[in-house]
Structures are given as structure tokens and as C-alpha cells.
Amino acid sequence: MRETRVCRVAVDVLAVERLFDYTVPEPLAAVVAVGTIVRVNLGGRRVRAWVVEDDVVSEAPADKLRPLLAAVSAGPPPEIIDLTAWAAHRFAGPRLPLLRAASPAAIVAPSAAPAPSPPSDPDVVRPSSSASSSSDEAAEVAADAARRQTATIRWPPAAGNGDLVAGLLAPDGSTIVVVPEGRLGALAAGLRARGATVVPWLVEGRPRDRARAWQRARQGGCVVLGGRSAVLAPVPDLAAVVIVDDGSEALKEERSPTWHARDVAAERARRRGARLTIVSPVPPLEAPGPLVAPSRTVERAGWPITEVIDRRREPPGLGLFSSRAVAALRAAVEDPERIAHRNGRQTARGAGAARPRAVCVLNRRGRARLLACAACGELVRCDRCEAAVAEVDAGPDGVALLGCARCGATRPRVCVRCGSTRLKILRSGVSKVREDLAALLPGVGVAMVDAATDELPTEPVLIGTEAVLHRVEPYPGGATAAVVFLDFDAELLAPRFRAGEQALWLLVRAARLVGPRAGGGRILVQTRLPRHEVIEAAVRAAPGLVADAERPRRRLLDLPPYAALARLTGDAPALAAAAEALRAAPAVGVSAGAGSGDDVLVRAPTAEALADALAAAFSAGRPLGRLRAEVDPLRV
């Protein structure tokens, strides 16, 4: 008598993470395999599920197992099914969102995977020999990185990366290219022009179109181009993965599990023996492999002019807008000939000419109040980690103290530069800031832009949060002549351990609006810290300065990449139980607020040790209430 075939499934129900065993009926035997999307009976309901194991030996008696009801659709291949299990454990979250992201958006007939398509001609994806010097160097840098199994390329923000990405495509097999910002059209067109078969990995649009793209990727022999979930594309012949703009927060999932495209791509590439290349204008310290960079000439040319406005010695009463910033804004919108010239147009009013535009950035929400010395004008910073400090409760002797929200250090309420005890509060924002700027620029339209703005205003001067940097068209299509950061110190001294990297990334976004150094646009930064490494890096087009300054701080404070972090939130009883379990784990540290009902910060020497400790903590805490982990948090 033939043994009953049993498979194990993960059901499409968010509150249920347990796996269930079902028998495979004979009519479905030919189409059910690991990854197949099926329909099962769960508690009297018909629910969707993924087959995650096949031919298993169930602990339940055979007569107690129910059969699968139907095979619904093809699903992720076995290697992706295994990868979702790894990612769910690594990032301490449910597996279901990963399975959904890796599956087709509409039904694809459940059958054997189609035969792989023949690979593209490797010669057609190389840059032409008539390319410019920048393109020639892009080809050389790409060739250097392609010789390494893992590498990180530092490529300037305002230099085109089409030739660079083309040079990183695998000559045989499939390549996954992850671009987080969503502007894929130009890159896709450039790769297609070189002969590559580009499959857009869509997360929006009609489900049928997205399913067709999934089905084409399943055939292999292509370049899958998309956002972070593209790392889960079902290509059977993966040979290379390229992560563009590592450092962008769009590469990290905000919902649980909080996985990062770089980490999942690295694990998948390791398992497949595929090449992994990271491309970023400011690679984070976690970026793997040796660093490959262009010549100083190319890197400098790929950054715009950055002008620093030192506000320490300015007369009082100017508010947020220095005289130099106002003059630069006025010049940016009143010099159409220069903008027309830098965009290759004959005249500013000629056909297709873009209207000159200037952008002001003011992040007002969620920013700390800054203290400055009333005597010398220097900002008051932590002498341990250099973050902003604020007044805290007095010490035992009644003397006022300053406390750091980033590292917890305290010190007397004095300026370390001049010894003065007279400190003043600087506010990062003012009311009616748009009206203030409009009054300084009579006759010039000024409009506000934030994350809630539906359509981009047509006024020549825009002011808003960092959301404005995402909304304005970048160079060369746009015509942004100047970007002014009105309160950059709030970014530099934010009480987050990644504050420097995140501040520099804002300058990267601004650089992509105004274009390269030869274009004539510029970035203006108002600051009281003109010698800060982030500002020096932008002025000198040397982003490595930030990494050089960050490494010793991170090592001293035991922060990534020298440790693994996670933040736990949830109900107080669940947090208390989880914290108790974490304290019992070897080499795992728990924040002082553990079990208090607030968030709990967990630190471990490695990502693997952190994942194991969190699994034990969830087993202890979940029965008592809600519990969520944010692994590798960006804003701690």
C-alpha cells in the first residue's frame, strides 16, 4: 500500500505563525511542490497557504490529517521559501509578509517551472567605446568590482549610474538590480538599449501585469529591476545582485519583520554563489566587501558646489534666513539664462525650457531643541558622542546637568569651549515660515511642501520638510538651481547613532536635484558647525570622511556594525517577560528601561546571537501580550 504523502504549509493568516500538516490528494500530486500556493481547511474556513515542506513525517496520526483542498497558483521556488524562513528568524518577525512579497499578485497556473530562457549576449550590455571619460571610468570601476565576489562601490550622487550598473550585469544567468527610489524608467531604458532583457519588479499597478512580470522572472535569463522586494524575485539562474543607493531608508521594511534588502540579498547571494555589489554615494559602515571608488577627479565632479553659511557670528534677529541664503534664493530664480545653459537649452523661454527653481529644507517635526553658548556661539554637544544635549534633572548636589539622549552621558551645564554657563535655546522651526520667506522675496512665489502635499506646486521657491527632496524632479530633467538647508544642525546633532549618515544622505538627495559641479547649481548649508565631518565631506566631495569619523564612535559605544541591535515594543507584561529571557541569554545586553512598559533596547555581539535571543524572548513574552521587534533600527 502506497504511503500517504504529507506536506507542511504556512497559512495566509496574520495571527497564525504555526505550520500545519496536510495530506496531498492523488489528483494534486503532480502539481503540488514546495512553494505551491494551495487552499486548505483551517478551523472550518477555506484559507490560502504555501507549501513550505514536502514529504514530511507528521507527528499527528495519518487519520487525523486533512487533505489539501486545491492547488491555487504557482508560488516562490524552494530557495525563496527557505530564504523567507531565514529572514523571519533573522529579523524576528512573521514569515507571512515575506511569502506574500515573493508571490505573484495574480494566479499563475500551478505547474512545473518553465525552462530557463537563453542568456543574453554578454557583449551588448557593455558601455560603448565612444563613452565620455566619466562613462569610461564607470566601466572600469564596474569591471574592478565585478571581479570580486562581494564589493562596495562609492559612486558620486550627481553622476549618472547607468553605465556603472550595465557593467555590473552578469554575462550569463540573471541579475537582480534593486533601486529603492522608484525612478526606474531611465535606468530600465538604458539597460534595454544595451540589449538586456529587463523585467520590472512592480509593487503597484494591475495584479495581472505584476503576475506576468513574476512569471517572466521565473524563466530566468533576465535583469529584474525594482525596489527592495526584488531580492525575492523567482529567477532560477541568479548570477549577480546589485543594490543601488545602499544607505537609503527605502531599502528597509518598516513593518515587521523589519528586513533590509542588503542583508537578504547577501544571504541569497551566499547560498547561490552569486556576486553581490553594493553601489552608494555614501556607503554605510555595514556595507560588505572591499571598497571600490572612482578617481578623485570623477568623484569631485559628481558632487555639486556646497556653500557653508556660518551662523555663529551673524547679528541677532535674522531668524531662520541668513542674508546669504536669501540672496542665493533670489539669484536662483532670477537667473534663467544660467539654468537654461546648464540644461542644454538655447534660451530660458525657448521650447521645453524648465522654469528655474529653488528649494528650502526645514525638518521641524521630531527634532530636539538645541542649546548654544550665549558667549561664544558654539553649540553645546556631548563630549562623548558629540550629539545634542539637553537640560536634565539636577544632580545630588543641586547643580543643573546636561544629558545626552544618544549615549546617556551627563555633565555640568557649561560650555566646554569657553567655560561660560550662559546657554540659550535655539528652536529648529518657527511659525508662518513660508510667509516669512515670502516677505523676504517680494514678487516671488513661495509654496510649502510636505509629505501630505498631493501635487507639487508651480511656485519657483519651495520650502518644506525633506519630503520636498523626493518630490522635485532631479537633474538633468529638473531645473533646481539651489537647495538651502535652513537648520542643518538639528540633523547633525539628532540623538540617533546614524545621525551623521542620515544627514549626509540629505545632502546626497539635494545633490541629485542641482546636478554635478559643472552644472552651476549649489547647495547652501546654514550651520553653527562649519567644521563638522558631514559638512566637510560634502564641501570636499569626500564622503569617506564621515565613515572615518563614525568608526571609532561606533566601536566605543558598541553600535553597528560592531554589534547587533533591536528595539522591542509591546504590552508591559510581555516586555517584562521578554526582557527577563534576554537577560538570561549569554552576551546579550538589555536597556535600563526593560520591562517598564516602554521600548526595550537589545544589544548582542552578532546578528545570529541576537536572532536566537529574540526567538527565546518571543516565546516567553508572546503568551502575555503584544510584542514586536524592530531589528537593526535606523532611528535609535
Side-chain angles (χ1 to χ4, degrees):
M1 180 176 178
R2 186 175 180 180
E3 292 186 4
T4 303
R5 179 180 164 193
V6 179
C7 67
R8 189 158 290 157
V9 305
V11 296
D12 193 359
V13 180
L14 271 177
V16 180
E17 297 183 25
R18 177 186 162 193
L19 302 179
F20 298 90
D21 293 344
Y22 288 84
T23 60
V24 181
E26 189 63 29
L28 302 181
V31 294
V32 169
V34 173
T36 304
I37 300 174
V38 296
R39 190 79 62 187
V40 300
N41 187 317
L42 181 69
R45 291 191 302 155
R46 293 169 58 95
V47 299
R48 188 172 75 152
W50 287 264
V51 176
V52 296
E53 295 181 52
D54 199 5
D55 288 326
V56 301
V57 177
S58 179
E59 296 180 358
D63 58 346
K64 297 294 184 180
L65 296 178
R66 295 181 176 183
L68 300 177
L69 299 179
V72 177
S73 172
E79 67 165 307
I80 299 300
I81 294 294
D82 290 342
L83 188 65
T84 61
W86 172 88
H89 176 70
R90 162 71 173 82
F91 294 95
R95 190 179 185 180
L96 179 56
L98 295 159
L99 290 170
R100 288 175 175 174
S103 300
I107 293 177
V108 173
S111 60
S117 299
S120 303
D121 184 348
D123 292 330
V124 298
V125 299
R126 296 174 182 170
S128 64
S129 58
S130 60
S132 65
S133 59
S134 177
S135 298
D136 290 340
E137 182 138 5
E140 294 176 5
V141 169
D144 187 2
R147 287 192 290 267
R148 310 168 191 265
Q149 192 69 14
T150 304
T152 295
I153 298 177
R154 191 177 70 209
W155 191 251
N161 58 16
D163 292 322
L164 183 69
V165 173
L168 293 170
L169 302 185
D172 296 301
S174 294
T175 302
I176 294 175
V177 181
V178 179
V179 182
E181 298 307 320
R183 292 189 173 102
L184 307 177
L187 183 56
L191 296 179
R192 287 192 180 102
R194 293 171 171 85
T197 301
V198 178
V199 177
W201 186 259
L202 306 173
V203 295
E204 296 179 351
R206 295 189 303 176
R208 175 50 57 189
D209 293 338
R210 294 159 57 192
R212 287 196 189 100
W214 186 92
Q215 176 74 338
R216 176 59 189 89
R218 191 180 178 212
Q219 299 174 16
C222 61
V223 176
V224 177
L225 179 65
R228 61 175 174 267
S229 62
V231 298
L232 301 173
V235 292
D237 54 350
L238 182 66
V241 182
V242 181
I243 307 290
V244 179
D245 281 355
D246 192 8
S248 169
E249 295 185 10
L251 287 175
K252 186 170 179 63
E253 176 61 67
E254 295 180 357
R255 297 164 295 184
S256 183
T258 57
W259 59 280
H260 197 289
R262 180 209 320 119
D263 298 314
V264 176
E267 177 65 15
R268 185 177 183 185
R270 183 191 67 79
R271 295 182 177 196
R272 289 283 304 185
R275 170 167 47 85
L276 173 66
T277 308
I278 306 297
V279 179
S280 178
V282 285
L285 294 184
E286 293 86 350
L291 180 67
V292 180
S295 66
R296 280 297 299 151
T297 299
V298 169
E299 187 159 34
R300 181 176 173 81
W303 283 82
I305 298 171
T306 300
E307 182 179 339
V308 180
I309 303 174
D310 188 352
R311 306 213 68 188
R312 290 175 297 177
R313 297 302 182 187
E314 289 186 345
L318 292 180
L320 282 174
F321 303 101
S322 65
S323 56
R324 173 64 190 119
V326 174
L329 292 171
R330 183 179 294 110
V333 298
E334 292 180 355
D335 189 6
E337 292 295 336
R338 179 170 63 88
I339 302 301
H341 174 73
R342 68 190 284 263
N343 284 316
R345 302 178 176 92
Q346 294 181 350
T347 64
R349 304 302 178 188
R355 187 177 184 184
R357 171 165 276 172
V359 174
C360 294
V361 181
L362 176 63
N363 273 332
R364 296 170 297 167
R365 293 176 292 183
R367 294 300 187 266
R369 295 162 67 182
L370 303 181
L371 292 175
C373 177
C376 68
E378 288 287 335
L379 288 176
V380 183
R381 296 189 282 170
C382 176
D383 51 8
R384 185 183 182 202
C385 70
E386 299 189 354
V389 295
E391 292 185 359
V392 296
D393 294 337
D397 55 359
V399 178
L401 297 176
L402 298 175
C404 176
R406 180 191 292 176
C407 69
T410 59
R411 65 178 177 84
R413 191 180 183 278
V414 296
C415 174
V416 295
R417 181 182 181 187
C418 69
S420 174
T421 59
R422 295 188 300 114
L423 306 180
K424 59 183 179 180
I425 296 175
L426 304 177
R427 300 186 182 274
S428 62
V430 295
S431 62
K432 300 182 180 179
V433 63
R434 190 201 66 82
E435 288 82 357
D436 291 344
L437 182 56
L440 294 170
L441 297 172
V444 177
V446 180
M448 286 288 296
V449 176
D450 58 22
T453 304
D454 293 329
E455 294 186 5
L456 194 68
T458 58
E459 283 80 357
V461 177
L462 302 180
I463 182 169
T465 62
E466 65 181 86
V468 70
L469 299 176
H470 298 263
R471 304 293 300 279
V472 177
E473 186 178 3
Y475 181 91
T480 303
V483 176
V484 181
F485 289 90
L486 299 175
D487 186 24
F488 203 63
D489 294 337
E491 309 294 338
L492 297 175
L493 302 184
R496 304 186 298 265
F497 79 90
R498 296 185 188 272
E501 288 182 353
Q502 290 166 347
L504 186 56
W505 197 259
L506 290 179
L507 298 178
V508 165
R509 297 193 189 282
R512 288 177 172 166
L513 297 191
V514 302
R517 189 170 298 264
R522 63 180 56 214
I523 301 171
L524 294 94
V525 179
Q526 294 189 156
T527 179
R528 292 171 179 264
L529 301 169
R531 307 304 297 177
H532 194 282
E533 62 268 11
V534 171
I535 297 175
E536 287 281 338
V539 171
R540 295 164 56 181
L545 294 175
V546 176
D548 294 341
E550 281 290 317
R551 284 192 188 93
R553 292 179 195 150
R554 302 272 189 94
R555 189 178 287 109
L556 173 66
L557 299 175
D558 202 19
L559 293 170
Y562 305 104
L565 289 182
R567 179 168 55 195
L568 292 183
T569 56
D571 299 330
L575 277 176
E580 190 64 28
L582 289 167
R583 290 191 183 97
V588 174
V590 182
S591 66
S596 65
D598 299 323
D599 59 338
V600 174
L601 189 64
V602 186
R603 180 183 281 105
T606 64
E608 292 76 14
L610 178 65
D612 293 341
L614 289 176
F618 271 63
S619 296
R622 275 279 175 82
L624 301 178
R626 181 182 58 88
L627 197 61
R628 179 182 185 272
E630 182 184 1
V631 179
D632 300 336
L634 294 176
R635 296 187 173 269
V636 166

